[in-house]
Amino acid sequence: MFPPTFESGAHARRREKLAEAMRGRPFVLASGKRRPRNYAANAYPFRAASHFLYAFGLSRPDALGHFDGERWTLYVPEPSLDDALWEGDALSLPAIQERLGVPVRPRAGLPSLRDGVATLPTPELETCVELEQLLG
């Protein structure tokens, strides 16, 4: 999840600089999806997209960091019981929120992002397609 060298203040400053550079324009950063090897259930170890890691320091698939023009919110899929079985214990949403210092919400609660929201592409096609659908 978080690297051993994670320092929340450094990532908070990075998010602040990104928000300043965007001059209050809303934008979203995606962590990306797991990449399968030879079939969907056999995935490579996950590494989030570099721009997402830069801002959040969190390596969690299908997460979206949203800056609404005023503040950041992180949207992540809620861990299931199957996740713990196959991947080990995942941090809860409140634990991630405490560590990052930004609101963390379930990915299912993501608001509509169609009106002028900017983004950066991820290294894999599936997330780029998903972002295109989310942003119109």
Side-chain angles (χ1 to χ4, degrees):
M1 285 300 181
F2 289 101
T5 58
F6 177 80
E7 200 263 292
S8 63
H11 293 284
R13 287 187 295 277
R14 291 173 182 174
R15 289 190 301 272
E16 187 176 308
K17 285 183 181 184
L18 284 169
E20 286 175 14
M22 291 300 290
R23 297 186 178 112
R25 181 177 178 193
F27 65 98
V28 66
L29 299 175
S31 67
K33 298 191 176 304
R34 293 189 184 281
R35 300 182 80 171
R37 295 178 194 193
N38 55 343
Y39 62 96
N42 185 18
Y44 287 104
F46 180 74
R47 181 190 183 276
S50 294
H51 54 272
F52 186 86
L53 285 174
Y54 176 83
F56 293 97
L58 174 70
S59 193
R60 185 144 181 186
D62 296 314
L64 291 171
H66 178 231
F67 179 73
D68 66 5
E70 295 179 18
R71 68 183 189 127
W72 285 95
T73 304
L74 183 63
Y75 293 90
V76 298
E78 292 192 76
S80 72
L81 295 176
D82 288 345
D83 293 340
L85 173 66
W86 296 108
E87 299 170 24
D89 289 332
L91 289 175
S92 67
L93 276 54
I96 295 171
Q97 180 171 313
E98 182 179 331
R99 195 92 190 261
L100 284 175
V102 299
V104 177
R105 305 284 179 258
R107 173 73 191 263
L110 183 70
S112 174
L113 300 176
R114 294 196 175 262
D115 295 329
V117 177
T119 192
L120 292 171
T122 61
E124 36 81 34
L125 178 64
E126 293 84 1
T127 301
C128 291
V129 169
E130 181 181 45
L131 286 170
E132 183 178 7
Q133 291 170 347
L134 283 171
L135 302 176

